[in-house]
Amino acid sequence: MGKKGKREKKGKGAEKTAAKMERKVSRRAKKEEEDLEALIAEFQSLDAKKTQVIESSCPPPSPRLNGSLSAHPEKDELILFGGEYFNGQKTYLYNDLYVYNIRKNSWSKVEIPNPPPRRCAHQAAVVPTAGGQLWVFGGEFASPNGEQFYHYKDLWVLHLATKTWEQIKASGGPSGRSGHRMVACKRQLMIFGGFHESARDYIYYNDVYAFNLESFTWSKLAPSGIGPTPRSGCQMATTPEGNIIIYGGYSKQRIKKDVDKGTLHTDMFLLKTEGAGKEEDKWAWSRLNPSGVKPTPRSGFSVAVGPNNRSLLFGGVHDEEEEESIEGDFFNDIYFYDIGKNRWFPGQLKGPKSEKRKRRRGRQAEAEGAGDEEMEKQPPQGPVEIVKEVVAEDGTVMTIKQVISGAAEEKERSESEEDEEDGALSQQVEPCPRSNAMLTVKHGILYVYGGMFEVGDRQFTLSDLYSIDLHKMEEWKVLVEMDPKAQEWLEESESDEEDDDIEGAEGGEEEEESSEEESEDEGGEEQHPSVQPDEKHTDYLSRTEQYWIKLARTNMGPDAKEKKVVKVAHAMAKTFYEDSV
């Protein structure tokens, strides 16, 4: 009893401290939010001029991260809302609405009167009611210089059948926040965690709220047991029984004046209902200890609900915090969590099936086609990370990172050995490593849109769209390629500008050589001069050259000279080829 009493007393003390901190943050943020409210009101006045729904075909949306991508409950469509973009000097926030037609592989922009204000890091959830509803809660608005923040606590619903936005005003809901998580569970919207940040202070949350979709009322849950510590950006999933699962996330705390320490959470919890489906259900937290191969620690990962009672996470970043800088390792891997078995396992690409291999293997191919259940029975093997650095002649350093599971690596190597007549190891297309991408699943197919990664001090915001069949896990498909021209970065040091001037003054011969190479390429015979490859490497390069050139151009920026981009791309391809074979 004594220990229990101490724990309860400690818990109450922590609640008081959190409440005190929230009041402190609220006071300091009030002035900032008043300033931003005027800017938000100005944007809303512009939106108010829209009086009718206008739907028009358009190119893919501009680069962005921290938006929401949702699957239409009745149509073969994906719905993209909001997000942010930073070009090195200015932060842009969006409240535009795009619809992606899966069958036609086309985008359309839908302008609807009186939309929610511009925001990012919000949450969206879809329910099938009345032809489909998209619910949006919270998020943040940032000043153009990215130094002031306004955190929303509003709740909106987009009626998909009538294409109308409606703001739902109900008291007793969560405080303003972003980075929270929201899921539709039974006839409720469940919200957990998030954070609120001002210029000087911040606070992270671990509270749980429920919004009843029938009575349109908020309720704050008071679960028993020990739950997750305050955090944002976690994974939140529902079970068929109506319970909630929380994994991971990120938080930071101030260890001394102007010094913060970030924490990557890797713990897992179950929020279980103890009632009988009534509004006054009792809830309880308990700790989960899953088996299998867990994701490596990371933040900024994206989550979705997959088929076969599995949730999944994709990508993210692991930041190495040093005294004066933060270096991030970005990921493009998939991890599945089997809710029924309480087990994690990495997604393993099987590769497209070849008719030659089917004939050669005979019954072995049938045995290997047993599916995901057979894959899960194999002893868990940790992911293998291949990292190579390539230094181009001009000093540009490119880092190539591929995260694959141990089993996939062995399978890939063995197949390349037995199938020598097929030539060099084929390079599979996959999304580049990234964080804060937008994810959704429709008909068992995972869609990944946008996000960002960093190279040095530069941020690259993406606008590409990939898909992968989660039932087959054979290969990624590129639905929308990244447009290098859409990349803009305005922050540039004086020394960099001087270097550019020098290159421009001394680059006459180089530019002439580049133009000669381009004319040779147009002839279709000559290759860009770079490495001296063997026959297999030549075959590999001819099939994957454009992939590596695009990757190199993305990292070097749109202003990089073509000849340098090609040299770096060929060096990357050669290094990766040699490492693979």
Side-chain angles (χ1 to χ4, degrees), residues 343-354:
R343 182 168 186 249
W344 282 103
F345 62 96
Q348 300 176 1
L349 289 184
K350 302 174 183 177
K353 294 180 180 178
S354 165

Side-chain angles (χ1 to χ4, degrees), residues 233 247-250 263-266 294-302 313-319 329-335 383 403 434:
Y247 167 77
Y250 174 83
T263 300
L264 296 176
H265 300 280
T266 57
K294 302 175 185 177
T296 54
R298 65 190 69 192
S299 64
F301 54 79
S302 305
L313 66 80
F314 166 83
V317 59
H318 183 279
D319 289 326
D329 290 332
F330 289 82
F331 303 97
N332 62 348
D333 48 358
I334 298 176
Y335 279 88
V403 181
R434 65 189 69 193

Side-chain angles (χ1 to χ4, degrees), residues 70-298:
S70 309
H72 195 296
E74 295 185 356
K75 299 180 180 180
D76 289 335
E77 295 177 346
L78 309 181
I79 305 164
L80 176 66
F81 173 73
E84 64 175 310
Y85 173 75
F86 179 61
N87 68 357
Q89 293 183 359
K90 188 175 180 181
T91 299
Y92 296 86
L93 278 298
Y94 305 109
N95 67 340
D96 42 14
L97 186 76
Y98 291 91
V99 174
Y100 174 74
N101 187 304
I102 295 175
R103 294 183 182 275
K104 297 180 180 179
N105 188 26
S106 63
W107 288 94
S108 60
K109 186 175 183 179
V110 186
E111 299 181 52
I112 301 176
N114 301 310
R118 305 175 182 219
R119 67 190 63 204
C120 66
H122 57 278
Q123 282 287 279
V126 170
V127 296
T129 306
Q133 296 176 339
L134 176 73
W135 290 83
V136 175
F137 175 79
E140 70 183 45
F141 179 88
S143 60
N145 63 7
E147 294 182 358
Q148 291 179 303
F149 304 94
Y150 181 92
H151 295 266
Y152 296 103
K153 58 179 179 180
D154 51 354
L155 179 66
W156 294 76
V157 57
L158 173 61
H159 301 280
L160 298 174
T162 59
K163 292 185 173 62
T164 54
W165 280 109
E166 179 185 2
Q167 183 176 4
I168 306 299
K169 297 182 179 180
S171 60
S175 58
R177 64 189 63 194
S178 58
H180 51 289
R181 290 294 177 257
M182 179 173 77
V183 295
C185 182
K186 303 294 186 181
R187 291 295 300 154
Q188 298 183 113
L189 298 176
M190 307 291 291
I191 292 177
F192 169 80
F195 72 97
H196 185 291
E197 183 175 10
S198 67
R200 297 176 58 186
D201 294 296
Y202 54 82
I203 182 171
Y204 285 79
Y205 301 104
N206 64 344
D207 46 8
V208 186
Y209 284 83
F211 180 78
N212 190 299
L213 291 170
E214 294 177 345
S215 63
F216 281 26
T217 54
W218 285 105
S219 61
K220 184 177 181 179
L221 277 57
S224 60
I226 300 176
T229 55
R231 64 192 64 192
S232 70
C234 61
Q235 181 181 37
M236 186 178 187
T238 61
T239 71
E241 299 77 27
N243 301 323
I244 303 293
I245 293 173
I246 299 293
Y247 167 77
Y250 174 83
S251 65
K252 62 181 180 180
Q253 59 181 1
R254 188 148 294 166
I255 55 177
K256 59 183 180 180
K257 187 177 181 180
D258 298 329
V259 178
D260 299 324
K261 182 181 180 182
T263 300
L264 296 176
H265 300 280
T266 57
D267 45 6
M268 201 162 186
F269 295 85
L270 175 68
L271 180 60
K272 187 176 182 180
T273 177
E274 297 179 337
K278 299 180 180 179
E279 188 174 342
E280 61 273 12
D281 283 353
K282 293 182 178 180
W283 296 80
W285 284 112
S286 61
R287 188 76 174 258
L288 287 176
N289 294 299
S291 61
V293 181
K294 302 175 185 177
T296 54
R298 65 190 69 192

Side-chain angles (χ1 to χ4, degrees), residues 451-498:
M452 60 83 73
F453 66 91
E454 296 170 344
V455 177
D457 295 330
R458 177 170 178 171
Q459 174 178 309
F460 291 85
T461 306
L462 303 166
S463 58
D464 48 3
L465 178 64
Y466 285 79
S467 70
I468 186 170
D469 191 323
L470 297 176
H471 293 289
K472 300 177 181 179
M473 286 298 290
E474 290 182 355
E475 60 182 341
W476 285 97
K477 293 183 179 179
V478 186
L479 303 175
V480 176
E481 294 186 345
M482 183 186 62
D483 181 8
K485 294 180 181 178
Q487 295 296 324
E488 178 186 46
W489 194 254
L490 301 181
E491 192 172 62
E492 193 173 50
S493 66
E494 293 181 2
S495 60
D496 288 338
E497 292 175 356
E498 291 172 1

